[in-house]
Amino acid sequence: MTAVETQITYTNSYTIQHEDAYMTQEEDWDRDLLLDPAWEKQQRKTFTAWCNSHLRKAGTQIENIEEDFRNGLKLMLLLEVISGERLPKPDKGKMRFHKIANVNKALDFICSKGVKLVSIGAEEIVDGNVKMTLGMIWTIILRFAIQDISVEETSAKEGLLLWCQRKTAPYRNVNVQNFHIRWSFVCDTDCVFLQDDPIGNLNTAFEVAEKYLDIPKMLDAEDIVNTPKPDEKAIMTYVSCFYHAFAGAEQAETAANRICKVLAVNQENEKLMEEYEKLASELLEWIRRTIPWLENRVAEQTMRAMQQKLEDFRDYRRVHKPPRVQEKCQLEINFNTLQTKLRLSNRPAFMPSEGKMVSDIANAWKGLEQVEKGYEEWLLTEIRRLERLDHLAEKFKQKCAMHEAWTTGKEDLLSQKDYESASLMEIRALMRKHEAFESDLAAHQDRVEQIAAIAQELNELDYHDAATVNTRCQGICDQWDNLGTLTQKRRDSLERVEKLWETIDQLYLEFAKRAAPFNNWMDGAMEDLQDMFIVHSIEEIQSLITAHDQFKATLPEADKERMATLGIHNEILKIAQTYGIKLSGINPYTNLSSQDISTKWDTVKHFVPLRDQMLQEEVARQQANERLRRQFAAQVRDGGAWEISHVSVDIAGSLEEQMNSLKQYEQNIINYKSNIDKLEGDHQLIQESLIFDNKHTNYTMEVCMQTAARSADGLSSHSSLLKVYATSVLISSHSLSTAAHPCGLGGEVEFARIMTLVDPNNTGVVTFQAFIDFMTRETAETDTAEQVMASFKILASDKNYITVEELRRELPPEQAEYCITRMTRYVGPDCPSGALDYISFSSALYGESDL
């Protein structure tokens, strides 16, 4: 029904002007009563009772009409109850601006129903302005209780007055002309009411209405009898409640038939809904159990344990997840099928339980895949970290072992006081020897710094045995500091006695000075040649080979240095032989001998080809990994993992052509399965080879699998829709023929009319959607929740509740038991035990709130 726009203007009092002029002042003295306290008292009482008659449905009420609506909360609740619509969420604060915001939301809702509010602001309602508040409530009563009244082509006030006149026509001494001058309710003067007792008659009428019609008492009898002109708005509000209570109903047999039909459809739909809920619950439960496992980021301390985690993740991808992917696709297909059935049977759309919508399941699935992706990335990162840790730990041990071997005995040597009893030559020799040691000590400084740097990196990478590493590193650093202190002390002591000694063997000194750094260089060379390495590409191994080639290029120069050092030793032997000097065989300045240099040199030369072999083996491994990358990328390109994603099905052409196209697309997907299996095999080899990237393609195995799954799902959904279409065409062909040729006369004209509906462009093709729309219009039921409720009211003999016996007497056994098991217990005055609430049950059938 079209909303009647209303304009309200408020000054010291308020008047309401309707475009139909049914609120026009009738007499001049009417304006004098607008400020009468009796007018305000009657409106307060009537409007408060009317508001409470609706608010009690929400379990609340008001006591003071201008105070209880100030924060806007109960005002918004009142509008929701009487309109059956949801208003915006109210502000929960208690500040003035929160209250104004809530009242504004209520006023905006009133305006949205075709009512124009003039000079009413939220501030007046929040401030408790009684005139503005009463005017606003009267506007609500007009819009929701009086405006839609229609009797014999009259509406609103005139319709309500005509209804009163029609209802009181059979009674003597009753002549209703307006809603204020000496108004009295319908009464039977012969039976119940007394002509000389208007107050008693009114009280009796009020009590009967409250007891049997559930109309609360809105006025006192004295308010009407003792007032020269009772307030018209209060009387209209009270009378409108009687109008709505005496609304008509239909025949019992028609009501019962409609209920049976509605319940049968509802039973079938509920079964489908229960199946959807069960499947959705199982899928969501699996996702709920799986996500915590994927969110577990507790790292293992060993490479073997982390590789086992990676293998468990692969089993999840291959075994556990694919069946759930199919369940998710099937769930979406079932949901769409159910919605189509509900639409064809003129039922409201199915709303699954909270958290079980298709969108909820899609979001949960998306969250699962995000956690799954993060878990895989974490696994690979942890494996790289453990590889790095193992490499660093081994390198740390090697450097520590070499350093500890070098420092063995050094503290004792530096602590000796042999210079106190040495000869001049021996002192000189000790001094030179100490200088050589200092040179060696400085050369080892780099190794100590490397040990400390490796220990720090192990700590930063959270190495599981960091405590042992720190203890060993600290011991080396403390020992190194002590060596530095002892070295300085010994030098000071030697320098004190150095002036007493004048001769020294220069050749031994020169040998020591050259042999020590050369020996240190060889130690470093051996260390580098034995150093472990980890690479992930051809470029990285080529870089190591280049560095190794550069090292080999320095060997000739190093060999010259070796020959020069050994030449000094040979010179010593020559001098000793020439001058007959008996050598002790020990160089007083160093512990190194020519044999040591030769032995280490041979060791270095021995390690060079071994290093060459290790690098070449790594080249071969990286080349094999590169072939795996290229092979995977080539299969993705040649197999066309993305080509599956291009498969789409448009509903065009004849039904047979569409079904053939679907079969061809399905065969293409089946034929492509072998490519997916081969890709999975290559992907397995890549992961086992610990290949973490592929510069030859942006596609991963997961992307290929998801693309194929989406294409198959889309194909399945199109196939299901076409099958429903084909079946619907076969079943409905007779209906279409009957609709086109009723009674066998004028068939061609009717058929032409139908074709203009289903094929407006005269293409010669009836699409699936056009067919569905036509059948929906032809077969749609017009029953509503109000009609079903009215039917139940007839079966219940106009009561607001119905008994079990009445349901079993009026309905077939199956539908009767269906209602009994689903209706809630009716709560109300003077109702028998076991009374059932058919009002809320009827509303629930159509997804509506209680009327």
Side-chain angles (χ1 to χ4, degrees):
M1 181 178 295
T2 304
V4 179
E5 293 195 352
T6 308
Q7 181 177 3
I8 301 100
T9 304
Y10 295 93
T11 55
N12 291 332
S13 61
Y14 69 90
T15 59
I16 302 175
Q17 296 178 348
H18 190 274
E19 67 180 12
D20 289 339
Y22 63 78
M23 292 303 296
T24 305
Q25 299 168 343
E26 297 179 3
E27 300 181 23
D28 293 339
W29 55 267
D30 184 64
R31 290 190 295 271
D32 299 333
L33 292 179
L34 289 178
L35 297 177
D36 192 335
W39 164 81
E40 182 177 328
K41 176 183 177 183
Q42 292 174 19
Q43 287 197 13
R44 279 174 177 267
K45 187 178 299 182
T46 304
F47 291 178
T48 300
W50 184 86
C51 291
N52 284 334
S53 69
H54 293 286
L55 287 174
R56 67 183 179 180
K57 299 175 183 177
T60 186
Q61 65 178 11
I62 61 172
E63 298 293 339
N64 190 316
I65 195 166
E66 69 268 23
E67 290 294 329
D68 293 349
F69 285 141
R70 290 180 64 183
N71 61 7
L73 296 178
K74 288 188 177 180
L75 178 58
M76 295 178 70
L77 181 60
L78 173 65
L79 291 172
E80 286 187 348
V81 171
I82 63 179
S83 68
E85 300 179 19
R86 296 291 296 178
L87 270 69
K89 185 177 180 181
D91 293 0
K92 294 299 184 181
K94 296 183 179 180
M95 304 293 290
R96 175 180 174 82
F97 72 87
H98 290 128
K99 298 177 182 180
I100 292 175
N102 290 336
V103 174
N104 273 326
K105 292 176 182 178
L107 295 179
D108 291 342
F109 179 79
I110 295 173
C111 292
S112 70
K113 298 302 179 182
V115 178
K116 292 183 179 179
L117 299 176
V118 179
S119 299
I120 287 187
E123 291 79 2
E124 287 83 359
I125 305 301
V126 172
D127 292 338
N129 187 314
V130 63
K131 299 265 191 286
M132 295 297 181
T133 303
L134 291 175
M136 177 188 66
I137 298 301
W138 172 240
T139 302
I140 295 173
I141 295 172
L142 275 178
R143 174 61 184 83
F144 292 100
I146 298 176
Q147 177 178 304
D148 293 339
I149 294 176
S150 177
V151 179
E152 298 181 10
E153 299 183 356
T154 62
S155 61
K157 176 183 176 182
E158 289 76 11
L160 183 62
L161 184 61
L162 180 60
W163 177 80
C164 293
Q165 293 170 348
R166 293 289 184 268
K167 292 296 182 181
T168 58
Y171 298 93
R172 291 177 296 127
N173 300 323
V174 176
N175 183 17
V176 180
Q177 296 298 324
N178 52 50
F179 290 107
H180 48 79
I181 300 299
R182 293 301 178 187
W183 171 263
S184 63
F185 287 88
V186 177
C187 59
D188 185 352
T189 56
D190 294 333
C191 299
V192 180
F193 302 105
L194 300 176
Q195 284 185 321
D196 344 354
D197 188 11
I199 292 179
N201 292 341
L202 287 172
N203 283 328
T204 300
F206 292 163
E207 292 171 0
V208 170
E210 186 171 17
K211 181 176 181 180
Y212 295 103
L213 300 180
D214 196 27
I215 299 175
K217 186 176 181 181
M218 298 185 179
L219 288 172
D220 294 330
E222 292 77 7
D223 294 335
I224 300 176
V225 175
N226 297 333
T227 302
K229 182 181 179 182
D231 182 66
E232 182 180 53
K233 300 172 183 60
I235 298 299
M236 287 179 65
T237 301
Y238 211 155
V239 173
S240 69
C241 295
F242 283 86
Y243 170 83
H244 291 295
F246 286 116
E250 296 183 6
Q251 295 296 324
E253 181 178 358
T254 303
N257 291 336
R258 178 179 287 114
I259 291 172
C260 290
K261 180 180 61 176
V262 170
L263 295 181
V265 173
N266 220 59
Q267 286 173 311
E268 180 182 359
N269 291 338
E270 283 185 359
K271 182 178 180 181
L272 294 174
M273 294 174 190
E274 291 173 358
E275 293 175 356
Y276 172 88
E277 292 280 342
K278 179 181 178 182
L279 188 57
S281 298
E282 291 175 353
L283 183 57
L284 288 172
E285 176 61 19
W286 177 82
I287 294 174
R288 185 190 65 79
R289 293 196 312 268
T290 303
I291 286 180
W293 174 68
L294 294 173
E295 288 178 337
N296 182 12
R297 298 293 193 273
V298 178
E300 300 293 342
Q301 295 182 353
T302 64
M303 177 65 75
R304 178 177 298 178
M306 286 305 298
Q307 287 176 341
Q308 182 59 46
K309 278 183 174 287
L310 181 61
E311 186 61 30
D312 293 341
F313 181 72
R314 291 171 183 161
D315 288 340
Y316 157 79
R317 280 270 182 85
R318 292 193 301 262
V319 179
H320 301 290
K321 185 179 178 182
R324 300 300 178 176
V325 174
Q326 295 300 322
E327 288 180 7
K328 175 177 176 291
C329 297
Q330 188 60 44
L331 187 69
E332 294 173 352
I333 293 172
N334 292 349
F335 179 82
N336 293 331
T337 301
L338 175 60
Q339 296 292 41
T340 301
K341 289 185 177 181
L342 290 172
R343 184 163 65 90
L344 292 176
S345 60
N346 196 28
R347 292 296 185 271
F350 168 52
M351 293 295 293
S353 302
E354 183 177 0
K356 296 180 182 178
M357 294 288 294
V358 172
S359 59
D360 294 330
I361 295 172
N363 290 335
W365 190 266
K366 181 179 179 181
L368 173 69
E369 292 187 332
Q370 289 175 345
V371 173
E372 177 182 314
K373 180 181 179 182
Y375 184 75
E376 182 180 21
E377 292 174 352
W378 173 77
L379 281 176
L380 297 177
T381 301
E382 279 301 307
I383 289 174
R384 293 192 190 102
R385 185 181 70 85
L386 289 176
E387 284 182 340
R388 175 66 176 166
L389 284 175
D390 290 345
H391 171 69
L392 289 175
E394 186 62 27
K395 189 173 183 178
F396 177 82
K397 292 176 183 179
Q398 289 182 0
K399 287 186 176 294
C400 287
M402 293 184 67
H403 177 78
E404 289 165 350
W406 179 82
T407 59
T408 301
K410 293 294 189 294
E411 291 172 292
D412 295 338
L413 180 63
L414 293 172
S415 300
Q416 290 180 359
K417 296 184 178 181
D418 49 350
Y419 53 83
E420 293 180 352
S421 59
S423 63
L424 178 62
M425 294 300 295
E426 291 171 343
I427 290 298
R428 181 67 77 172
L430 289 175
M431 188 61 188
R432 297 297 180 264
K433 182 178 180 181
H434 188 70
E435 290 176 355
F437 172 78
E438 286 180 328
S439 177
D440 198 12
L441 184 68
H444 279 80
Q445 175 70 32
D446 183 62
R447 180 178 292 116
V448 175
E449 291 175 355
Q450 290 177 8
I451 290 173
I454 294 173
Q456 181 180 355
E457 187 171 359
L458 286 171
N459 279 274
E460 291 174 352
L461 293 177
D462 196 22
Y463 183 54
H464 68 91
D465 199 15
T468 302
V469 169
N470 293 337
T471 300
R472 193 171 186 181
C473 180
Q474 187 62 45
I476 290 174
C477 292
D478 292 342
Q479 185 187 40
W480 185 257
D481 293 339
N482 189 41
L483 284 174
T485 301
L486 293 175
T487 299
Q488 186 61 39
K489 286 182 178 180
R490 184 169 178 81
R491 167 170 279 280
D492 293 341
S493 299
L494 290 173
E495 286 178 350
R496 285 195 306 269
V497 297
E498 186 179 11
K499 294 179 181 180
L500 302 174
W501 311 102
E502 297 178 352
T503 59
I504 189 170
D505 191 341
Q506 292 296 328
L507 292 174
Y508 273 127
L509 179 59
E510 183 65 16
F511 177 87
K513 287 184 177 181
R514 299 192 70 165
F518 184 72
N519 179 71
N520 187 64
W521 176 86
M522 288 191 294
D523 288 341
M526 289 189 295
E527 184 178 341
D528 292 339
L529 290 172
Q530 297 177 80
D531 188 22
M532 298 175 63
F533 55 85
I534 296 176
V535 295
H536 299 93
S537 67
I538 293 292
E539 291 77 9
E540 292 178 5
I541 189 61
Q542 288 296 341
S543 177
L544 290 178
I545 291 174
T546 300
H548 184 59
D549 290 339
Q550 291 173 354
F551 167 77
K552 289 192 293 185
T554 65
L555 289 179
E557 191 66 26
D559 189 50
K560 291 180 181 179
E561 180 65 18
R562 179 185 68 86
M563 295 301 295
T565 303
L566 294 179
I568 295 173
H569 177 71
N570 294 332
E571 184 66 16
I572 293 173
L573 294 178
K574 182 179 179 181
I575 293 173
Q577 184 178 3
T578 301
Y579 297 98
I581 298 173
K582 185 178 180 181
L583 299 174
S584 62
I586 298 174
N587 190 326
Y589 305 111
T590 181
N591 292 326
L592 290 172
S593 65
S594 60
Q595 184 61 38
D596 295 333
I597 298 298
S598 298
T599 301
K600 282 193 177 181
W601 178 255
D602 293 339
T603 303
V604 170
K605 291 196 295 182
H606 173 72
F607 283 145
V608 169
L610 294 180
R611 183 73 169 184
D612 286 333
Q613 182 181 354
M614 291 175 61
L615 291 173
Q616 291 304 317
E617 289 175 353
E618 183 61 28
V619 167
R621 191 175 76 86
Q622 289 302 324
Q623 288 175 345
N625 289 350
E626 184 67 8
R627 286 194 297 272
L628 284 176
R629 292 187 183 97
R630 292 180 181 275
Q631 181 176 337
F632 181 86
Q635 288 189 36
V636 170
R637 285 195 306 272
D638 298 337
W642 55 87
E643 291 180 2
I644 299 179
S645 64
H646 295 166
V647 174
S648 62
V649 180
D650 297 327
I651 302 179
S654 67
L655 180 62
E656 180 178 2
E657 290 173 347
Q658 295 177 52
M659 293 300 294
N660 289 337
S661 297
L662 284 175
K663 290 177 180 179
Q664 181 61 43
Y665 289 136
E666 182 178 11
Q667 186 60 42
N668 290 342
I669 292 177
I670 293 173
N671 293 339
Y672 187 71
K673 185 177 183 303
S674 60
N675 291 341
I676 293 294
D677 294 340
K678 193 167 189 318
L679 279 174
E680 178 63 23
D682 290 345
H683 181 64
Q684 177 79 9
L685 292 176
I686 287 174
Q687 289 195 328
E688 290 174 354
S689 300
L690 299 179
I691 299 174
F692 305 109
D693 54 13
N694 191 342
K695 65 182 181 181
H696 303 294
T697 180
N698 292 328
Y699 286 91
T700 65
M701 189 61 202
E702 288 71 25
V703 172
C704 296
M705 294 295 291
Q706 291 172 5
T707 303
R710 285 197 300 270
S711 299
D713 295 344
L715 205 59
S716 176
S717 176
H718 282 300
S719 178
S720 298
L721 287 174
L722 284 178
K723 289 178 181 178
V724 171
Y725 181 26
T727 304
S728 300
V729 171
L730 292 175
I731 294 175
S732 304
S733 59
H734 177 69
S735 300
L736 196 61
S737 175
T738 302
H741 301 280
C743 303
L745 296 176
E748 293 183 359
V749 175
E750 181 63 14
F751 184 76
R753 182 189 70 82
I754 294 174
M755 288 305 296
T756 60
L757 295 176
V758 298
D759 184 20
N761 295 326
N762 198 24
T763 62
V765 176
V766 179
T767 65
F768 174 64
Q769 187 59 47
F771 170 76
I772 289 296
D773 292 342
F774 171 76
M775 293 305 296
T776 300
R777 291 194 299 270
E778 294 296 321
T779 61
E781 294 292 345
T782 59
D783 51 75
T784 64
E786 289 80 6
Q787 292 175 326
V788 174
M789 199 180 304
S791 301
F792 272 117
K793 191 173 184 70
I794 293 173
L795 299 184
S797 301
D798 289 338
K799 300 191 296 296
N800 289 335
Y801 60 85
I802 190 167
T803 65
V804 174
E805 292 76 11
E806 290 172 336
L807 287 172
R808 288 175 174 166
R809 182 179 66 246
E810 300 293 344
L811 299 177
E814 182 179 358
Q815 278 72 30
E817 294 303 322
Y818 179 85
C819 294
I820 292 170
T821 57
R822 284 164 172 76
M823 284 187 181
T824 59
R825 182 176 179 273
Y826 179 80
V827 178
D830 301 329
C831 66
S833 176
L836 301 176
D837 186 355
Y838 64 79
I839 296 177
S840 61
F841 174 76
S842 302
S843 300
L845 288 176
Y846 288 85
E848 302 175 359
S849 59
D850 293 348
L851 297 176

